């Protein structure tokens, strides 16, 4: 029978016995004599690791170190510590270390000791889990929790059993442990789910409470089914009688635990005084009972692990016994023993067991997977049927299937006891690791409890009416909080007309239990909760309600939860009760002498959490100081203190201060309250930064206060923080309550110097000052914070549409709202610009007009289009301001201050005089209009500098848009603007120093000067050398390292704050730092190339539009005399600036039209001026009416100037000449003046080879000007460098060093036949044609050679292509004042090195050159060039004349035919060249013939013949890809002609009076 059953369907464990030899050593080595003793003694067999004590310590160190290393890597992924502990065990297991005696596996005995310690920790963990569980909550769980808890165990269990039955129909599911194992697969573990919810910080959330209740139900059911499965198995194996005996013994055990042990422990609790600690003897008796419980359960035939757990359930949870057990044991168990147990579980894992896995194991694994999937499905469907949100239902489903230490421990112990085989254990370990890893990540993604707090429903005191009920929440931690809160509420004098709905929340730390509690104390019921957590609090506030009957309604709640999750209870209550204001006690209390009475950092942490997440306004109450005996000195707010309550509000401005004032106004409705509003204003408003919206709201609130007769209004001007402190010290004694706004991260002159001494950020600078030891007075403080957590990323439009929350809209999220605003701005800007660009108006005007059209001036409803909400405008303005600061930084990067030293006298005179002279006239005008005023104390001098100043970025932008940056006028204007901008910057800083000197004294002004000079020294001698070092470390022609780029950007981001430390205006910091950046490549160009597109294209337009949003003509009505005087001064300045800019060039004998154009350029206004006035308006430096005046001036000037400059100055006009500069018109023995353009190094060799092929002689010499064209990057000013051969040193930036060397060598090789001059032009690609044409005009050039934009490999594939070169070639073809040639280089091999160049001198003994002639001026110019080349005997020239077989289609003028015939007759008579005449019918025939002959030539010269149509090329026009090289040139460079020859396409000088643009492509 035994043999017959050997192959039956079994667990693989039946009949298996362990045969082990055990060697015991007595006495056991536990404590070593010490490392020194072991080293000294002669017995080498004694080692430190032979002693179990040091060995265990070493194993624990290895485990914890490895666990922390793994967790530091995995915690960023959201994986729990349990996974790291398991992985540490796997890494230390025999699977990885083949040597059993390594690291942790030092010896078999050591593993046994380690396992015993871990198992001890697991048993303790089960006991503490039972202590924390409150079974009474199972009766209070809702139907939803009960359904989820029951169904998520029963349904998976049935599905698992069914699956295994289908896989093996003849098996008995009860006799082979299948039922028992199925219960473990489908069961729910309360401790695991509690740990998961705690790690995710959602224990107090609605989802957390539901999951915990369902887990408690499921765990109890799992426990029952597990025990039941063991009884059923016993019944099958041993008979029904044995099963009944087991059942009876189990019931007896439970009766003993419940009616004996639990009764004894309750007696211990009753003997403990209220709020006292349990006696040590009681504590140790409970521990002793726990230690005996595993052995005790064996006597009752119960699985030994259930004894500690059931005994833990019997312990009364909460204080004093349960909390004492948890507080004393949990840290050491969870932090020490349990991680060891998790690691020892990992030590058992071995993948090798998969090889010998039996059929039973595979069926069990399939059953486990089915149970897991069905459990997930049930956990998802039940909440969905209960109409829970989909995301919450998914999160709950993942929570309910979570696995952890309980399952891992159960399978490990079953494996040790041979209940399951190693392969089943390995399978289940993988399942647990996967589930425990994935579940936390997915739950965190799906469920965010703070999302519900992110609302924009205005729940503030400001938004509640005076006669409307005010809903408050007050939080109580300790009994001392009760009196102070009641006294404060009494001070508010509530009435029936202005009633208060008060919710009191008593917050108690969760200790000794797992499930948090939220108790509602019903006033109708005399009995309180079974645990009288808040009896005294309830009694005190019920008395307060009776004392204010009809004016106050009180509800008391108790929240028992972990301190780090208490904010959930407060915020949830605030949401449910529609609360407007939450009052929190401060974490510290003082005695009257300033010493600390009590302090609780957990309370402080909670206050920070509430300030960050609260859905309404928050107030932090700092209690009045108490006497040294601990009893209160008469509370300053107590009703019998005096007949009046004196309350003060410290007002500086901003939303927090407005909320504080609204609260004080509500309190002051009673006659017994005297309210004083102390408004601290900055004596110097230059440093004040408020938004337009804040200023308007502050003014409105203060106007109500000033007009009211019920308040006392005090306005005090202060210069800085110390002055504020001195003033407050003199007035605080007069008040019992002082209300202050928190004003977090708000900086202004009134608090300057106090920020560094602020100890408690949660109560703000003023609150911290008033609670400091310097203010030892008996008053209470209430710090108010208007908190609205930002909603940034929406959950998606679909989610918002599905959820029916009316407050939840897409536009309440700042992310989608900002995107919508940007789309509206850009669409409207483009619509306006499409209408205005035909008039010549710049894009800047369209952006400003878009802002004006979207402003409140046109939309009376502020919540429309861009002004969706007050908050939305500030977000948009912040994004725009960031763009403006970035723009100033990039403007500094682009500027090259060294050019100021190289500027000519004309530029210096214009730059200086156009700032200084208008400034003098402006000051004189304002003085005459207002003779009694002081131009320095009222900021007139500072404003006059802004009116007369010159902006380099604005003028650079104007010249770039008009495409005259490279012209003579453009270079002069740019140089003058650079000088003027530097003078303006110096005068602006000087005006601020003068203003400081007048207002604060010369000493302060000199301090500002010294700090500013120190800042410049740091930038110049520290930051700039660092950046130069970065440049030196960069390889030549290489890119700057990313780390260097990010360091510079980081320095820029810090610069505004850095400049404030040096008392420099914050906008100057980024600009000055930009000036310090080395311009050009590699650093300057990298910064400009990476940042400029997004700043100029995205952020700066937003800033321009936000400036337009501030414009409102209604301010003209209330315009002051000062504003009118300033506007007149600005207009006078503009006129004088124009006159000076006109007269200086005229005196320098510039043409009148050019002088007028320069004058208009110098008075141009733009984004810099607009941004400056906007920021000055926000900072209250100028009023709204002055801002409106200046906006109109800027719009008018910025609109008119581009139109007039374009009309007055046309740089292409000088190219429209009739002086013929062609090769045909130059004599053969006359020096030929050429320009050759170079873009990349490879152009050099091809051009030199071309000239070598021309066989230069003294009789036919060449004057060659080489122009190296370099893209302007990282700088604003263009460069034109003439490289003098006499000077060995090159310029600082060796732009063209290799080019110079190559052409100097070429000149030496052709001495007296060639004279070479090398130039470098650094300019924008779209303006490079200016440099080429200007050079051609100056040098009387006859021919310009341009490289083609594309280069090919020998097989026809493209090596490189540059569309900017192609655009440049088109520009030159349109405008050049002479003939042009485009050189198409010979093809290269695939490796990139040149196939031997067809024009290289060592290629053959002679050069074979062909000219394709069809007629026309371009072909004649090509033939003239070829004739000049062919003068040498080494050149073999062939002229191929294509004639049309049918001349009917040929269209040539009579003059063209005569000139063609004359030139061809010379050719035919010449014996130095070969003339071939070929008649063709159409383009294909021409193509076929050319294909047959091109391989015979190294250079083919072709006329471009643009827009020339004749029979020889008919049919080829449609296939022409490159119009710039003509039809024949395009044909010869196509893929059909793969030959190793170079092409030169020639265009004769175009004689025209207007420029006609040619299309690219």
């Amino acid at each position: 029978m035994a043999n017959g059953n050997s192959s039956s369907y079994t667990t693989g464990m039946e009949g298996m016995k362990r045969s082990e030899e055990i060697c015991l050593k007595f006495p056991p080595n536990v404590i070593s004599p010490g490392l020194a003793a072991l080293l000294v003694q002669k017995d080498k067999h004694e080692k430190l690791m032979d002693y179990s004590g040091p060995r265990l310590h070493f194993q624990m160190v290895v485990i914890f170190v490895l666990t922390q290393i793994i967790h530091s890597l995995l915690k960023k992924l959201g994986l729990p510590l349990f996974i790291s502990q398991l992985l540490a065990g796997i890494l230390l297991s025999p699977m990885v270390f083949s040597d059993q005696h390594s690291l942790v596996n030092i010896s078999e005995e050591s593993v046994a000791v380690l396992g015993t310690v871990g198992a001890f920790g697991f048993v303790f963990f089960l006991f503490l889990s039972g202590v924390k569980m409150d079974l009474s909550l199972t009766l209070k769980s809702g139907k939803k929790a009960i359904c989820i808890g029951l169904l998520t165990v029963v349904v998976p269990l049935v599905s698992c059993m069914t699956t295994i039955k289908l896989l093996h129909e003849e098996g008995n599911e009860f006799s082979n442990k299948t039922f028992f194992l199925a219960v473990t697969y489908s069961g729910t573990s309360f401790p695991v789910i509690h740990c998961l919810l705690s790690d995710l910080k959602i224990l107090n959330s609605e989802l957390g409470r539901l999951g915990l209740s369902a887990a408690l139900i499921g765990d109890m059911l799992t426990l029952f089914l597990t025990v039941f499965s063991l009884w059923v198995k016993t019944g099958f194996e041993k008979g029904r009688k044995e099963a009944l005996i087991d059942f009876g013994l189990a019931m007896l055990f439970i009766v003993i635990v419940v009616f004996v042990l639990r009764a004894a422990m309750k007696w211990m609790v009753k003997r403990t005084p209220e709020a006292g600690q349990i006696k040590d003897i009681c504590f140790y008796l409970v521990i002793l009972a726990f230690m005996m419980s595993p052995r005790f359960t064996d006597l009752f035939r119960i699985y030994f692990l259930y004894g500690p757990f059931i005994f833990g359930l019997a312990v009364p949870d909460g204080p004093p016994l349960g909390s004492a057990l948890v507080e004393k044991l949990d840290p050491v168990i969870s932090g020490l023993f349990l991680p060891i147990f998790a690691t020892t579980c990992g030590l058992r894992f071995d993948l090798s067991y998969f090889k010998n896995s039996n059929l039973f194991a595979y069926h069990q694994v399939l059953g486990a997977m089915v149970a897991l999937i069905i459990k997930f499905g049930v956990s998802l469907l039940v909440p969905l049927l209960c109409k829970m949100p989909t995301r919450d239902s998914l999160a709950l489903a993942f929570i309910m299937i979570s696995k952890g230490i309980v399952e891992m421990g159960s399978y490990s112990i079953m494996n040790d006891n041979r209940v399951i085989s190693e392969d089943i254990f390995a399978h289940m370990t993988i399942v647990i690791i996967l589930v425990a890893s994935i579940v936390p990540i997915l739950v965190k993604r799906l469920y965010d409890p703070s999302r519900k707090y992110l609302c924009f429903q205005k729940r503030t005191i400001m938004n509640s009416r005076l006669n409307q009920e005010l809903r408050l929440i007050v939080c109580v931690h300790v009994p001392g909080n009760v009196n102070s809160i009641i006294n404060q509420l009494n001070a508010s004098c509530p009435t029936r007309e202005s009633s208060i709905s008060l919710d009191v929340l008593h917050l108690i730390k969760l200790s000794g239990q797992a499930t948090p509690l939220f108790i509602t104390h019903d006033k109708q019921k005399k009995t309180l909760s079974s645990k009288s957590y808040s009896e005294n609090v309830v009694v005190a506030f019920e008395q307060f309600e009776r004392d204010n009957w009809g004016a106050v309604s009180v509800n008391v709640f108790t929240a028992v939860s972990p301190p780090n999750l208490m904010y959930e209870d407060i915020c949830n209550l605030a949401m449910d009760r529609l609360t407007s204001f939450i009052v929190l006690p401060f974490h510290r209390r003082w005695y009257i002498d300033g010493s600390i009475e009590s302090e609780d950092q957990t309370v402080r942490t909670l206050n920070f959490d509430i300030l960050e997440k609260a859905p309404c306004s928050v107030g932090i109450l700092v209690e009045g100081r108490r006497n040294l005996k601990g009893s209160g000195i008469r509370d300053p707010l107590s009703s019998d203190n005096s007949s009046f309550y004196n309350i003060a509000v410290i007002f500086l401005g901003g939303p927090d201060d407005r909320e504080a004032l609204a609260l004080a106004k509500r309190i002051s409705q009673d006659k017994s309250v005297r309210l004083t509003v102390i408004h601290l204003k900055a004596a110097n408003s230059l440093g004040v930064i408020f938004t337009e919206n804040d200023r308007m709201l502050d003014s409105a609130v203060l106007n109500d206060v000033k007009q009211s007769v019920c308040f006392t209004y005090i306005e005090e001007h202060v210069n800085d923080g110390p002055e504020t402190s001195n003033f407050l010290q003199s007035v605080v004694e007069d008040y019992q309550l002082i209300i202050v706004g928190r004003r977090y991260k708000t900086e202004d002159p009134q608090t300057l110097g106090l920020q560094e001494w602020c100890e408690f950020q949660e109560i703000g600078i003023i609150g911290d000052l008033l609670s400091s030891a310097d203010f030892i007075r008996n008053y209470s403080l209430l710090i108010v914070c208007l908190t609205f957590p930002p909603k940034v990323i929406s959950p998606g439009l679909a989610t918002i549409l599905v959820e029916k929350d009316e407050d939840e809209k897409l536009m309440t999220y700042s992310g989608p709202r900002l995107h919508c605003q940007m789309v509206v701005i850009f669409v409207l800007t483009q619509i306006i610009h499409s209408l205005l660009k035909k008039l010549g108006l710049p894009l800047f005007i369209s952006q400003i007009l878009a802002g004006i059209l979207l402003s409140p001036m046109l939309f009376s409803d502020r919540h429309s289009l861009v002004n969706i909400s007050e908050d939305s405008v500030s977000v948009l303005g912040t994004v725009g301001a960031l763009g403006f600061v970035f723009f100033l930084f990039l403007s500094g990067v682009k500027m090259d201050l060294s050019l100021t030293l190289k500027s000519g006298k004309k530029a210096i005179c214009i730059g200086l005089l156009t700032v200084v002279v208008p400034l003098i006239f402006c000051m004189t005008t304002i003085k005459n209009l207002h003779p009694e005023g002081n131009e320095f104390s009222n900021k007139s001098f500072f404003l006059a500098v802004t009116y007369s100043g010159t902006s380099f970025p604005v003028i650079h932008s104007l010249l770039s848009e008009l495409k005259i940056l490279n012209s003579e006028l453009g270079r002069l204007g740019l140089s003058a603007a650079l000088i003027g901008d530097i003078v303006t910057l110096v005068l602006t800083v000087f005006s601020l120093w003068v203003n400081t000197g007048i207002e604060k004294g010369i000493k302060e002004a000199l301090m500002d000067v010294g700090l500013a000079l120190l800042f410049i020294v740091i930038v110049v001698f520290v930051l700039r050398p660092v950046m130069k070092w970065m440049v030196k470390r960069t390889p030549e022609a290489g890119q700057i390292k990313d780390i260097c780029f990010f360091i510079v950007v980081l320095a820029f981001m810090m610069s505004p704050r850095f400049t404030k430390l040096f008392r420099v205006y914050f906008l100057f910091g980024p600009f000055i730092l930009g000036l310090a950046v080395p311009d050009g490549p590699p650093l300057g160009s990298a910064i400009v190339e990476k940042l400029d597109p997004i700043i100029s294209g995205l952020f700066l337009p937003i800033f321009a539009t936000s400036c337009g949003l501030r414009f409102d003509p209604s301010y003209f009505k209330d315009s002051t005399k000062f504003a009118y005087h300033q506007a007149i001064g600005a207009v006078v300045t503009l006129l004088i600036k124009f006159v000076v800019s006109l007269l200086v060039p005229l005196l320098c004998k510039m043409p009148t039209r050019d002088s007028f154009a320069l004058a208009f350029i110098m008075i141009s206004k733009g984004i810099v001026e607009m941004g400056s006035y906007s920021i000055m308006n926000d900072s209250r430096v100028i009023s709204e009416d002055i801002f409106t005046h200046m906006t109109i001036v800027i719009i008018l000037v910025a609109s008119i100037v581009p139109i007039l400059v374009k009309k007055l100055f046309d740089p292409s006009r000088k190219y429209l000449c009739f002086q013929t500069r062609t090769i045909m018109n130059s004599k053969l023995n006359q020096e030929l003046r050429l320009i050759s353009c170079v873009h990349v190094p490879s152009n050099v060799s091809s051009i030199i080879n071309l000239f070598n092929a021309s066989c230069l002689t003294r009789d036919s010499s060449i004057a060659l000007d080489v122009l190296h064209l370099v893209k302007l990057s990282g700088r604003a000013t263009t460069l034109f460098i003439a490289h003098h051969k006499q000077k060995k040193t090159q310029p600082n930036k060796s732009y063209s060093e290799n080019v110079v060397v190559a052409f100097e060598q070429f000149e030496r090789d052709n001495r007296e036949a060639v004279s070479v001059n090398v130039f470098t032009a650094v300019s924008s690609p779209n303006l490079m044609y200016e440099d080429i044409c200007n050079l051609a005009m100056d040098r009387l050039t006859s021919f310009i050679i341009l490289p083609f934009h594309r280069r090919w490999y020998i097989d026809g594939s493209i090596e490189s292509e540059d569309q900017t070169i192609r655009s440049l070639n088109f520009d030159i073809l349109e405008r050049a004042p002479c003939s042009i040639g485009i050189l198409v280089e010979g093809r290269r091999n695939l490796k990139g090195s040149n196939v031997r160049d067809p024009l290289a001198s060592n290629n053959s003994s002679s050069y074979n050159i062909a000219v394709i002639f069809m007629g026309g001026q371009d072909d004649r110019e090509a033939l003239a060039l070829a004739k000049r080349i062919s003068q040498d005997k080494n050149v073999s020239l062939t002229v191929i004349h294509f004639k049309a077989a049918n001349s009917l289609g040929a269209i040539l003028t009579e003059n063209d035919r005569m000139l063609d015939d004359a030139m061809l007759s010379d050719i035919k008579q010449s014996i130095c060249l070969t003339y071939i005449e070929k008649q063709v019918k159409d383009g294909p025939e021409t193509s076929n013939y050319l294909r047959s002959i091109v391989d015979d030539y190294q250079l083919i010269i072709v006329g471009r013949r643009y827009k020339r149509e004749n029979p020889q090329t008919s049919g080829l026009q449609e296939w022409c890809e490159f119009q710039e090289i003509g039809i024949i040139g395009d044909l010869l460079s196509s893929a059909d002609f793969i030959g190793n020859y170079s092409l030169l396409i020639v265009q004769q000088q175009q004689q025209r009076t207007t420029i006609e643009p040619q299309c690219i492509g």
Side-chain angles (χ1 to χ4, degrees), residues 1110-1116 1177 1182-1194:
R1110 295 174 170 87
F1111 180 78
D1112 193 346
S1114 62
Y1115 289 116
F1116 281 129
N1177 183 32
I1182 61 173
S1183 57
E1184 287 81 358
D1185 47 357
I1186 294 178
F1187 173 76
T1188 305
H1189 285 114
M1190 297 314 302
T1191 301
I1192 292 175
V1193 171
I1194 290 171

Side-chain angles (χ1 to χ4, degrees), residues 942-1067:
F942 171 74
L943 294 175
V945 173
T946 65
Y947 305 150
S948 58
T950 302
S951 172
F952 177 86
V954 170
I955 292 179
H956 177 268
S957 177
L958 172 67
L959 297 174
S960 297
E961 287 184 8
L962 295 176
K963 295 185 177 181
I964 57 175
L965 196 62
N966 280 23
S967 64
E968 292 180 5
L969 184 70
R971 293 179 191 275
L972 176 60
L974 212 58
S975 298
L978 182 60
I979 301 293
D981 204 346
I982 300 302
V983 174
T984 303
L985 178 63
V986 172
L987 288 174
T988 304
V989 176
F990 177 73
S991 67
L992 294 174
W993 290 339
V994 169
N995 189 53
T996 302
I998 293 174
E999 293 186 353
K1000 298 182 179 181
I1002 296 176
K1003 185 178 179 180
E1004 287 293 321
L1006 292 175
M1007 180 70 73
D1008 287 356
V1009 173
L1011 288 173
L1013 293 178
L1014 177 60
F1015 172 71
I1016 293 172
V1017 167
I1018 292 173
V1019 170
V1020 174
F1021 295 102
V1022 179
L1023 297 181
R1024 184 170 173 83
V1026 170
M1027 290 184 281
K1028 282 190 171 182
W1029 176 81
M1030 294 177 184
V1031 171
K1032 287 181 181 178
R1033 298 269 294 178
T1034 304
E1036 190 174 354
Q1039 292 185 343
I1040 197 79
K1041 291 181 180 179
D1042 288 341
I1043 184 65
C1044 299
F1045 172 79
F1046 290 126
I1047 287 173
V1048 175
V1049 173
L1050 179 64
F1052 151 72
M1053 298 297 285
M1054 294 170 62
S1055 59
R1057 178 66 181 165
F1058 195 59
T1059 50
K1060 277 200 165 188
L1061 297 176
F1062 290 88
R1063 298 187 187 179
V1064 180
Y1065 189 46
F1066 78 100
L1067 288 179

Side-chain angles (χ1 to χ4, degrees), residues 1395-1410:
V1395 175
R1396 182 161 296 182
D1397 196 295
L1399 297 177
S1401 57
N1402 57 354
N1403 202 29
S1404 64
S1405 57
S1406 63
Y1407 297 103
N1408 295 322
I1409 300 175

Side-chain angles (χ1 to χ4, degrees), residues 630-918:
S631 60
I633 292 178
R634 183 166 295 180
D635 195 291
L637 296 176
S638 59
S639 57
D640 58 345
N641 199 32
S642 66
S643 57
F644 292 100
Y645 295 107
N646 292 320
I647 300 175
V649 178
I650 310 298
F651 189 90
L652 281 75
D656 292 349
D657 282 7
R658 292 195 297 273
E659 186 73 356
L661 190 56
L663 175 63
K665 287 170 66 177
R666 190 175 184 101
I667 293 173
S668 66
Q669 287 186 286
D670 195 90
K671 294 180 180 179
S672 60
V673 175
R674 291 177 175 176
L675 176 64
T676 302
V677 178
I678 302 172
H679 184 196
L680 299 177
K681 296 188 72 174
N684 181 8
S685 60
L686 286 178
V688 183
I689 299 177
F690 278 123
T691 64
E692 174 69 19
N693 192 48
D694 273 334
R695 281 202 314 275
M696 291 171 60
L697 293 174
D698 288 347
S699 300
V701 170
L702 289 174
N703 285 336
D704 293 341
V705 172
K706 294 174 184 177
Q707 294 170 7
S708 175
V709 295
C710 303
F711 311 139
T712 302
Y713 176 75
I714 299 173
E715 188 173 290
E716 179 71 17
H717 288 78
V718 292
N719 291 309
D720 51 21
E723 195 168 324
T724 299
S725 176
N726 293 333
F727 172 75
L728 291 177
Q729 277 187 323
S730 65
V731 299
V732 292
E733 287 184 352
D734 302 331
Y735 306 102
Q736 287 88 48
L737 175 65
I738 300 176
I739 304 176
V740 184
R742 183 189 180 204
R743 309 182 74 251
Y744 182 56
K745 289 185 178 179
T746 302
E747 297 178 3
D748 43 35
Q750 299 98 306
T751 57
L752 185 65
L754 298 178
Q755 177 68 40
E756 293 76 12
W757 302 96
C758 183
E759 183 180 1
F760 304 115
Q761 296 290 343
E762 65 269 31
I763 58 175
I765 298 174
I766 299 296
D768 183 83
L769 175 69
L770 293 172
S771 64
S772 66
D774 296 331
F775 286 73
I776 304 178
R777 302 290 187 272
N778 191 24
Y779 55 82
S780 293
L781 269 176
L782 183 63
I783 293 85
V784 178
C785 179
L786 185 69
T787 172
F788 290 111
K791 299 174 75 174
V792 181
I793 302 174
S794 75
L797 184 59
T799 305
I800 291 174
L801 293 175
V802 170
E803 296 177 357
K804 297 181 179 180
D805 187 358
E806 293 181 358
D807 295 327
E808 196 80 2
K809 298 177 182 177
L810 189 65
M811 289 300 107
T812 60
Y813 294 89
S814 59
R817 188 176 64 226
L818 180 61
H819 297 163
C820 173
Q821 291 169 319
M822 290 166 65
V823 169
V824 170
I825 288 170
F826 288 120
V827 169
L828 185 58
T829 298
Q830 292 304 316
I831 291 172
I832 297 172
H833 189 57
S834 64
L835 300 174
L836 298 182
K837 67 180 178 182
K838 297 177 182 178
L839 302 176
L841 298 184
L843 183 61
F844 164 68
I845 295 296
S846 303
Q847 293 162 353
I848 292 290
L849 293 179
I852 294 173
L853 291 177
L854 295 171
S855 67
M857 179 185 71
L858 297 182
F859 289 99
S860 56
D861 176 20
R862 295 188 67 84
H863 305 288
S864 58
L865 291 177
V866 171
N867 298 317
I868 296 167
S869 67
E870 295 172 2
D871 169 67
S872 70
V873 179
S874 63
V875 172
L876 186 71
T878 303
V879 173
L882 176 66
F884 184 62
V885 175
F886 255 112
F887 170 73
L888 293 177
F889 170 65
L890 291 177
S891 298
V893 173
K894 294 177 184 178
M895 290 173 67
D896 185 2
L897 291 182
S898 64
L899 294 179
T900 56
L901 305 175
K902 303 174 186 177
S903 302
K905 294 180 180 178
K906 190 191 301 183
I908 294 173
C909 289
I910 295 171
L912 288 173
L913 295 176
T914 52
V915 175
V916 176
V917 175

